[in-house]
Amino acid sequence: MRKSKKLVIPVMVALCLAVSPASAAWAESVVVAGGVRQQTGPGVAPGAGEEEQGQTAGESVAEPGEAGEPLLMPEQAPGEPVSEPGEPAAGSGELIAGPKEPSQAEETGQASQGQETQVLVAGQGSVWMSEEARRAAEEEAARQAEEAARLAAEQEAARLAAEEEAARQAEEAARLAAEEEARRQAEEAARLASGRVIDPSRPMVALTYDDGPQSSVGNRIMDCLAQYGGKATFFMVGERVPSHQAEVCRMVAEGHEVANHSMNHKYLQKQGAAEIQAQVNRCNDVIESVTGVRPTIMRLPGGGYNSTVLANTHMPMIQWNIDTLDWKTRNASQTVNAVLGKVKDGDIVLMHELYGATADASMEIIPELARRGYQLVTVSEMAAAKGYKLEPGKLYSSFR
């Protein structure tokens, strides 16, 4: 029934055209679009095609053609009936394919691929982009934010470390300044208590004694100095101090200078940084524990040093410019001649407290220097009188 209905319409059109050829001149075209068939021409009033809008698409398929000829589908031979999409074509058992209905999965995939989102991009304003591009942009933004946070954390850690180091250095500088000020005040108090006055315009010399304390030698030297108003500097080995506490306390009580000569008389240029610091600090500790006074200057064992020594003693290092070699000769006369034969203002004289010959030599050196007008002073007294500021890590061999 459906096929016969499809064939009726073109037959009727052909008959009408055959009966009335004049009608073909008036009918210029028949257009089928979206199920609406519209005929235009001089004899057709506007809206004539609207009466047939109720017809469904597929009821008639026609193309404009010559008058009196039925309209044919592509590849349709004259006289062949028009077949519906999906119905067998005339003369064959095949179906003519019609529009394919997309499946639900295809519709969903197409919608997902074609979906775009409006995104605000820095420097570009509002931009439309696909869902995949939006996700990629969000992931990149998250990665950049994470990297920025990591860099910020590293910078903050570096800033805090720098602040801690600056605070540590400031604290160390303050400690050293406080120690220096305490030493200066102690010296000034001792000077005022003893009525001792150093005259910078007069010549002076610093007698120094290493490797003590040794009571049998040190006490004799101090007895002689007391007679002539002189003071000396004693560079002591820390491990020997506990055995000569009375002598060491006398040094402090009479205004002599107690100083550091390492804990065990190790040659510091052969030691590492940690051992150098231990040798210096332990010696200072033991002298302070016995006398209540912490040394402010030191002498290197043997006078040897290198860059590691200079960087790790953290104290002014006192050398000498007159070496009596008393440890080698152990001869009083040779020691006396080594001093009196070349002494000048500002000299630092090296002797050793361990030998009786050195005590004998001092009994002659001290009175003669006093007779020549020399002031017998400690190293620190002479440095202050000559305008020298003793600095940690530096070497001093005289104050001429």
Side-chain angles (χ1 to χ4, degrees), residues 18-277:
V19 173
S20 181
S23 300
W26 289 96
E28 293 181 354
S29 65
V30 177
V31 180
V32 178
V36 177
R37 184 173 53 190
Q38 183 175 356
Q39 183 175 351
T40 62
V44 181
E50 295 176 0
E51 297 176 357
E52 297 178 2
Q53 289 182 4
Q55 294 179 348
T56 61
E59 289 184 355
S60 175
V61 179
E63 293 291 338
E66 296 182 1
E69 292 183 1
L71 303 179
L72 303 177
M73 292 295 289
E75 300 181 0
Q76 179 185 5
E80 289 185 1
V82 178
S83 299
E84 279 289 310
E87 293 182 351
S92 72
E94 297 179 357
L95 295 177
I96 298 176
K100 182 182 179 182
E101 293 290 337
S103 66
Q104 184 176 1
E106 290 174 336
E107 290 179 350
T108 303
Q110 292 171 359
S112 175
Q113 293 177 1
Q115 183 178 1
E116 292 188 344
T117 305
Q118 194 172 19
V119 180
L120 186 61
V121 179
Q124 301 181 29
S126 182
V127 176
W128 287 92
M129 61 174 61
S130 67
E131 184 67 16
E132 290 79 359
R134 182 187 65 78
R135 289 197 189 101
E138 288 179 350
E139 290 176 357
E140 176 62 16
R143 187 194 66 76
Q144 292 180 359
E146 183 178 353
E147 179 67 11
R150 184 186 66 79
L151 292 175
E154 290 179 355
Q155 292 174 354
E156 179 65 11
R159 183 186 66 80
L160 292 175
E163 288 181 354
E164 290 178 358
E165 177 61 17
R168 187 194 66 77
Q169 292 180 357
E171 183 179 352
E172 179 67 11
R175 183 186 67 80
L176 292 175
E179 289 181 355
E180 176 65 18
E181 179 61 18
R183 183 192 66 78
R184 189 193 64 77
Q185 291 179 359
E187 289 179 352
E188 181 65 13
R191 185 187 68 79
L192 293 175
S194 63
R196 182 174 174 78
V197 176
I198 307 299
D199 185 354
S201 64
R202 292 175 51 205
M204 60 190 74
V205 63
L207 301 179
T208 66
Y209 297 88
D210 288 6
D211 295 351
Q214 176 62 44
S215 300
S216 59
V217 176
N219 282 320
R220 290 180 62 197
I221 293 171
M222 287 189 283
D223 290 342
C224 187
L225 287 169
Q227 294 180 32
Y228 295 92
K231 309 297 178 184
T233 299
F234 294 89
F235 290 100
M236 294 180 288
V237 176
E239 66 182 3
R240 295 180 58 87
V241 170
S243 301
H244 302 274
Q245 294 189 35
E247 179 201 354
V248 175
C249 288
R250 178 187 176 186
M251 293 175 184
V252 173
E254 296 187 3
H256 302 289
E257 186 169 26
V258 290
N260 187 311
H261 197 42
S262 82
M263 185 65 184
N264 307 110
H265 203 274
K266 290 184 177 181
Y267 292 111
L268 300 185
Q269 72 272 25
K270 298 181 180 180
Q271 313 302 321
E275 180 61 20
I276 292 171
Q277 294 178 23

